[in-house]
Amino acid sequence: GAGVSQTPSNKVTEKGKYVELRCDPISGHTALYWYRQSLGQGPEFLIYFQGTGAADDSGLPNDRFFAVRPEGSVSTLKIQRTERGDSAVYLCASSLRLGERSSYEQYFGPGTRLTVT
Amino acid sequence: ILNVEQSPQSLHVQEGDSTNFTCSFPSSNFYALHWYRWETAKSPEALFVMTLNGDEKKKGRISATLNTKEGYSYLYIKGSQPEDSATYLCAFGPNTGNQFYFGTGTSLTVIP
């Protein structure tokens, strides 16, 4: 079946602009994660959805970042007033998750490379 | 922020060599340890999910071990092939919260 898809694959934007990054998870996966990977670093947790609700948004760096998943499937990560420091690869992953904790593997999308000039 | 470390940062081996690398993580509040392989221009691919101390898992020429009491996991590749060239990431899942904490990865290059 289809894997996790992310669009766009690359996004170049000017400092101060607004951007939206989209993630289409695997059908039936209730859990959805957003990560950010900066150069030379491992993926850094941003936010986790269980169904439609943001179960944990503690990784969002500030209030310029926001994410939604209105129907429990597709998710959009929104970044307002972009800054050069937001330049990174933004990864989305989905997973089966039942109960409070999960040991299920995450299936990653190919990422969106965001460049803020 | 929990500290997850991977070593070495990069590794070059000859085709046919066996190799291994390390993921170190906090020994308290352990829930799960994931290993991923990330090839250039592709999505990270899950290799193993490990939850029990002493776990050993194997997939083809790749295997992993887990020691939760001392906080480390080893990934082994037997008879490395050029197609094994990738970055290998580990991710620690604690038993509190929802985050996974990734290491910075080990970049493996297998020279034909």
Side-chain angles (χ1 to χ4, degrees):
Chain A
V4 178
S5 63
Q6 291 186 246
T7 54
S9 54
N10 279 286
K11 176 72 177 178
V12 180
T13 191
E14 292 179 349
K15 179 176 179 296
K17 298 288 189 184
Y18 167 82
V19 296
E20 289 190 352
L21 312 178
R22 176 187 167 111
C23 172
D24 248 295
I26 291 173
S27 177
H29 280 189
T30 56
L32 187 146
Y33 301 80
W34 281 100
Y35 295 90
R36 174 171 71 175
Q37 186 184 29
S38 303
L39 199 61
Q41 303 296 316
E44 172 193 20
F45 170 84
L46 294 177
I47 187 169
Y48 156 66
F49 287 90
Q50 178 63 275
T52 59
D56 186 342
D57 64 358
S58 62
L60 295 177
N62 52 60
D63 61 7
R64 295 187 298 104
F65 288 75
F66 189 71
V68 296
R69 195 186 185 198
E71 297 177 1
S73 179
V74 171
S75 176
T76 304
L77 178 66
K78 308 180 180 194
I79 311 174
Q80 298 178 318
R81 304 182 305 280
T82 50
E83 300 177 357
R84 291 195 181 89
D86 299 335
S87 297
V89 175
Y90 289 82
L91 291 165
C92 171
S94 71
S95 170
L96 289 171
R97 177 164 171 148
L98 302 171
E100 187 63 24
R101 299 279 175 262
S102 174
S103 60
Y104 293 98
E105 61 192 19
Q106 297 182 30
Y107 293 81
F108 281 85
T112 294
R113 182 174 296 279
L114 175 66
T115 304
V116 182
T117 61
Chain B
I1 295 178
L2 299 179
N3 201 29
V4 178
E5 295 185 352
Q6 291 188 247
S7 62
Q9 190 172 17
S10 66
L11 197 53
H12 290 72
V13 301
Q14 292 289 330
E15 182 176 354
D17 286 351
S18 294
T19 187
N20 66 85
F21 16 95
T22 307
C23 172
S24 301
F25 52 85
S27 56
S28 58
N29 301 322
F30 176 88
Y31 186 76
L33 192 284
H34 294 199
W35 279 101
Y36 293 88
R37 175 171 64 197
W38 195 357
E39 296 179 65
T40 303
K42 294 187 178 180
S43 307
E45 172 198 357
L47 290 174
F48 304 113
V49 175
M50 309 178 82
T51 58
L52 297 176
N53 184 43
D55 248 357
E56 289 189 31
K57 297 218 170 178
K58 187 174 180 183
K59 184 184 286 190
R61 294 179 292 97
I62 304 176
S63 60
T65 61
L66 179 68
N67 184 324
T68 62
K69 296 192 184 305
E70 295 182 41
Y72 64 84
S73 175
Y74 294 138
L75 189 79
Y76 300 91
I77 303 178
K78 184 178 178 182
S80 303
Q81 299 296 308
E83 59 264 31
D84 297 329
S85 297
T87 295
Y88 291 82
L89 289 166
C90 68
F92 167 72
N95 61 11
T96 56
N98 300 288
Q99 296 195 24
F100 282 88
Y101 296 86
F102 281 79
T104 54
T106 291
S107 173
L108 173 68
T109 303
V110 182
I111 303 163

